[in-house]
Amino acid sequence: MALPALSSSGVKFRRVLAHFPQELSLAFAYGSGVFRQAGDSAGPGENNMLDFVFAVDDAVTWHMMNLTKNKSHYSFLKVLGPKQINSVQNYGAGIYYNTLVPCNGRIIKYGVISTDTLIDDLLHWKTLYVAGRLQKPVKILTQNENSKLQAALVSNLKSAVTAAFLMLPESFSEEDLYMQIAGLSYTGDFRMIVGEDRSKVQNIVEPNVPHFQKLYSNILQDCPQVVYKHHLGRLEANKSPEGQFAQLMSLPRTLQQKITSLVDPPGKNRDVEEILLQVAHDPDCGFVVHQGISRIVRSSSVVQSAKTILTAGVLGGKLVTTENTDPSGRNRPQQIQMSSTRKDSGWSHDLLNEIVPRIPQGCRVS
């Protein structure tokens, strides 16, 4: 089954791709610059940042070519070269972001991830970072003929549906389902506590239900674990222990591991199937699944946010603009001035020492 292509031409987004090396296995645009969110009067805000993700087969080579074409996009890390940039990329969620890039009269942000890392996240939810973005409507701009990637994209959608079923009651609306799915990648994300608008998920789903339907309707119609009453917009899931066990057994590997670590006492080392059978009979099965997802997301969101200090160039007194969210869910620029005499906070300083080697003497950081 092919991943559904969302309507509208996307020409203005594809024009952005012309500024970058073309060796892309997948490129997509996402966020409030692409899809209308609650509070936007008509459509995607023309002043909102445009967000992109580029999947590449060889990240070192791609960064080398991009440094030749777009060196100014990078922070001070550009002086270390493509191999060290790739080393930073591989930490956390395995994606490297260049942000606040002027392009075609707009400000864009783009993340670079290796194709293999993306496939791993889609299949196993190792970080649920880019996989989580692809559980919501995105604008696919280009995609090659990689059959493993295509299968992984569909598998990710099916896993999102299964996880949502386990956390929802027996009967629920389509919008309830899409709210649950859209919220998966925010579960446990510390940014939802310290920075993001807490109504973000609702703002995403409400104006975009038709886009969610296009992504998920075929999966729901073919799913044996649910009765999909399309004309009523209602679904009824199989909440029997047998049904929940089948769903738990089909969850991505990392989530299964998180669930077993939550339930199995230290040192007991029971079989995964035995533990999941126990969870399937537990009245709090949905809560256990929620906690497992939270553990995945929390870890990757913290490390990825720490990486932003390196990739956005918030060092040495550099003035940068970061994306924030106003109460309507729309992005607004916020200026942050870092004092050149101020030391990094402990966690960012430790990360800097861990993943970036000492800059060679004589190199100039700009």
Side-chain angles (χ1 to χ4, degrees):
M1 183 181 77
L3 194 70
L6 298 181
S7 59
S8 82
S9 66
V11 171
K12 66 179 178 181
F13 305 120
R14 291 188 180 91
R15 285 177 182 153
V16 170
L17 299 187
H19 295 268
F20 297 95
Q22 296 302 295
E23 288 72 9
L24 304 173
S25 61
L26 176 71
F28 65 88
Y30 66 95
S32 60
V34 184
F35 297 97
R36 187 169 74 88
Q37 295 190 7
D40 291 336
S41 57
E46 288 299 314
N47 294 323
N48 290 357
M49 184 185 295
L50 294 178
D51 299 307
F52 298 86
V53 167
F54 303 151
V56 301
D57 290 342
D58 184 340
V60 174
T61 299
W62 194 91
H63 282 298
M64 179 179 67
M65 292 187 293
N66 198 42
L67 282 165
T68 301
K69 295 187 69 171
N70 301 304
K71 191 172 184 179
S72 63
H73 294 183
Y74 290 81
S75 71
F76 78 98
L77 294 178
K78 60 179 171 280
V79 304
L80 303 178
K83 289 185 179 180
Q84 292 303 333
I85 288 172
N86 185 58
S87 295
V88 174
Q89 176 177 310
N90 289 335
Y91 274 77
I95 186 166
Y96 184 100
Y97 273 103
N98 283 325
T99 189
L100 300 165
V101 175
C103 186
N104 292 351
R106 298 288 295 271
I107 298 298
I108 73 167
K109 174 179 72 177
Y110 63 93
V112 183
I113 186 170
S114 79
T115 306
D116 288 342
T117 298
L118 175 57
I119 290 173
D120 188 52
D121 197 31
L122 292 168
L123 292 177
H124 305 303
W125 288 10
K126 184 177 180 181
T127 67
L128 199 53
Y129 198 85
V130 180
R133 301 208 186 286
L134 285 162
Q135 291 162 359
K136 296 177 275 290
V138 302
K139 169 62 67 178
I140 301 291
L141 304 177
T142 187
Q143 184 177 351
N144 67 13
E145 298 299 320
N146 187 325
S147 60
K148 288 184 179 180
L149 176 58
Q150 181 61 54
L153 287 164
V154 175
S155 177
N156 180 48
L157 298 182
K158 291 180 177 179
S159 296
V161 168
T162 301
F165 284 167
L166 287 162
M167 293 187 285
L168 285 163
E170 184 174 359
S171 178
F172 47 90
S173 69
E174 273 191 90
E175 188 167 321
D176 291 335
L177 174 64
Y178 301 141
M179 289 281 288
Q180 194 74 61
I181 289 172
L184 291 176
S185 62
Y186 298 115
T187 303
D189 189 336
F190 83 100
R191 294 171 299 177
M192 296 299 286
I193 300 172
V194 302
E196 296 280 5
D197 177 15
R198 295 188 185 185
S199 62
K200 187 178 183 77
V201 173
Q202 185 175 353
N203 291 342
I204 291 170
V205 173
E206 284 187 351
N208 293 297
V209 168
H211 291 311
F212 278 94
Q213 288 175 327
K214 193 158 190 175
L215 271 181
Y216 289 103
S217 61
N218 288 340
I219 291 172
L220 294 174
Q221 288 169 356
D222 296 339
C223 180
Q225 297 294 333
V226 69
V227 177
Y228 183 26
K229 300 179 178 179
H230 189 275
H231 61 292
L232 298 176
R234 300 288 300 182
L235 302 98
E236 294 180 0
N238 183 353
K239 303 299 285 188
S240 69
E242 295 77 16
Q244 293 195 138
F245 177 63
Q247 292 165 10
L248 288 164
M249 288 296 293
S250 67
L251 289 175
R253 181 179 63 204
T254 305
L255 179 52
Q256 289 182 339
Q257 292 169 345
K258 297 297 183 183
I259 291 171
T260 57
S261 69
L262 283 165
V263 175
D264 201 30
K268 198 166 183 181
N269 296 323
R270 290 185 295 164
D271 183 73
V272 171
E273 187 171 339
E274 179 186 351
I275 297 168
L276 295 182
L277 182 60
Q278 175 189 328
V279 174
H281 284 81
D282 191 329
D284 292 326
C285 173
F287 177 74
V288 175
V289 173
H290 180 276
Q291 290 297 100
I293 294 171
S294 179
R295 286 193 172 190
I296 296 172
V297 174
R298 185 182 302 115
S299 175
S300 63
S301 69
V302 168
V303 177
Q304 193 64 34
S305 293
K307 280 169 59 175
T308 302
I309 291 178
L310 302 175
T311 61
V314 190
L315 287 169
K318 188 171 183 179
L319 179 66
V320 300
T321 307
T322 62
E323 179 183 330
N324 204 344
T325 308
D326 70 16
S328 69
R330 291 168 291 186
N331 298 330
R332 69 168 186 261
Q334 178 185 18
Q335 288 189 327
I336 298 177
Q337 176 72 57
M338 300 293 289
S339 168
S340 60
T341 59
R342 177 183 172 187
K343 292 183 178 179
D344 295 296
S345 59
W347 58 275
S348 62
H349 188 265
D350 290 345
L351 183 70
L352 180 64
N353 285 336
E354 182 181 358
I355 67 179
V356 181
R358 189 178 299 275
I359 299 174
Q361 198 169 21
C363 287
R364 182 176 180 179
V365 178
S366 58

